[in-house]
Amino acid sequence: MKKQLGAKNCLYPLPTVLVGAQVNGKPNFITMAHVGIVDPGSVSMSMSKSHYTNQGIKENGTFSVNIPGTKLMKETDYCGLVSGKKEDKAKMFKVFYGALKTAPLIEECPINMECELTHTFDFESHDIFVGKVVETYSDEEVLDSGVVNFAKVDPLLFVMNDRGYWSLGRKLGSAWSVGMELKRKKVPP
Ligand SMILES: Cc1cc2nc3c(=O)[nH]c(=O)nc-3n(C[C@H](O)[C@H](O)[C@H](O)COP(=O)(O)O)c2cc1C
């Protein structure tokens, strides 16, 4: 029997990322889980207006999305516990810049995306930022013939219910493929 839980958002797990922005001329990183794909070339982020990072994104029109592996769990959690208003969080990382010049990227994260802000939606408590990915950087070690292997990236997944960090499980099948058998038999889903 189904039990009603009330209006609970259960869209978890989500990858935990470190979003970078240049704030007051210095790099700052914020931990974010409410990040999504708007279209194949764009990402969205739901960032509370109380955070320090927002002003840098608005000022420069740029930001970065860095994907940490599970071995960066403590540093990632720290960037979600402490505000750049009080601490220089960037000093924990080797920071580099790409073509956009104002989107700080983290060397220690196996995947980095440089983004240009395209839209800002003014929600009551959150800024919804949408950005176009203009360049992506990857550690060679996580590539298989030039393609990112997410098992090697070992992303840090976040679940709100238990406020937990989780890791990726095993691959179960191929998308747009395992269902072909049912499609051929014309069995309703
Ligand atoms: C696992 C985790 C996920 C988080 N996800 C978000 C999020 O999606 N949106 C948000 O506004 N804050 C999120 N936070 C909170 C910010 O990371 C935190 O308040 C941070 O200290 C703000 O940094 P800043 O003031 O330097 O910008 C998250 C924190 C943690 C630990």
Side-chain angles (χ1 to χ4, degrees):
M1 205 179 114
K2 289 278 185 193
K3 201 172 154 77
Q4 285 181 252
L5 301 179
K8 271 215 172 299
N9 197 333
C10 280
L11 208 54
Y12 297 96
L14 292 167
T16 320
V17 300
L18 288 164
V19 169
Q22 199 77 357
V23 194
N24 295 322
K26 286 185 183 162
N28 186 57
F29 296 101
I30 174 177
T31 305
M32 293 279 295
H34 296 160
V35 172
I37 298 175
V38 180
D39 65 30
S42 306
V43 296
S44 66
M45 310 189 290
S46 170
M47 199 175 283
S48 168
K49 288 181 177 175
S50 61
H51 299 330
Y52 184 61
T53 310
N54 307 44
Q55 75 184 73
I57 297 176
K58 289 176 184 173
E59 258 169 44
N60 299 298
T62 58
F63 62 91
S64 71
V65 178
N66 302 272
I67 304 182
T70 58
K71 61 183 173 196
L72 281 181
M73 181 167 67
K74 281 187 187 164
E75 290 82 352
T76 302
D77 198 52
Y78 177 78
C79 288
L81 283 168
V82 170
S83 175
K85 287 171 201 158
K86 296 202 167 151
E87 292 289 331
D88 177 5
K89 294 182 265 184
K91 69 179 180 218
M92 285 192 296
F93 306 113
K94 208 181 284 174
V95 176
F96 69 102
Y97 292 86
L100 293 177
K101 309 281 184 220
T102 51
L105 301 147
I106 299 176
E107 183 73 44
E108 292 86 345
C109 290
I111 306 282
N112 321 91
M113 296 186 285
E114 260 190 300
C115 303
E116 211 165 48
L117 184 68
T118 55
H119 302 79
T120 304
F121 298 97
D122 186 12
F123 274 45
E124 202 176 326
S125 57
H126 284 67
D127 286 320
I128 312 299
F129 294 120
V130 175
K132 183 177 155 214
V133 181
V134 298
E135 189 56 88
T136 303
Y137 303 85
S138 164
D139 285 357
E140 276 189 49
E141 297 75 52
V142 301
L143 297 178
D144 285 342
S145 311
V147 177
V148 177
N149 178 336
F150 282 93
K152 291 182 179 174
V153 173
D154 189 22
L156 188 60
L157 306 180
F158 172 71
V159 172
M160 186 62 96
N161 300 39
D162 64 355
R163 292 175 153 229
Y165 293 114
W166 293 70
S167 66
L168 189 67
R170 67 199 163 87
K171 182 175 177 179
L172 300 178
S174 295
W176 292 285
S177 175
V178 290
M180 287 306 278
E181 192 187 320
L182 297 181
K183 191 180 175 194
R184 275 194 294 269
K185 284 188 197 160
K186 293 198 167 56
V187 175

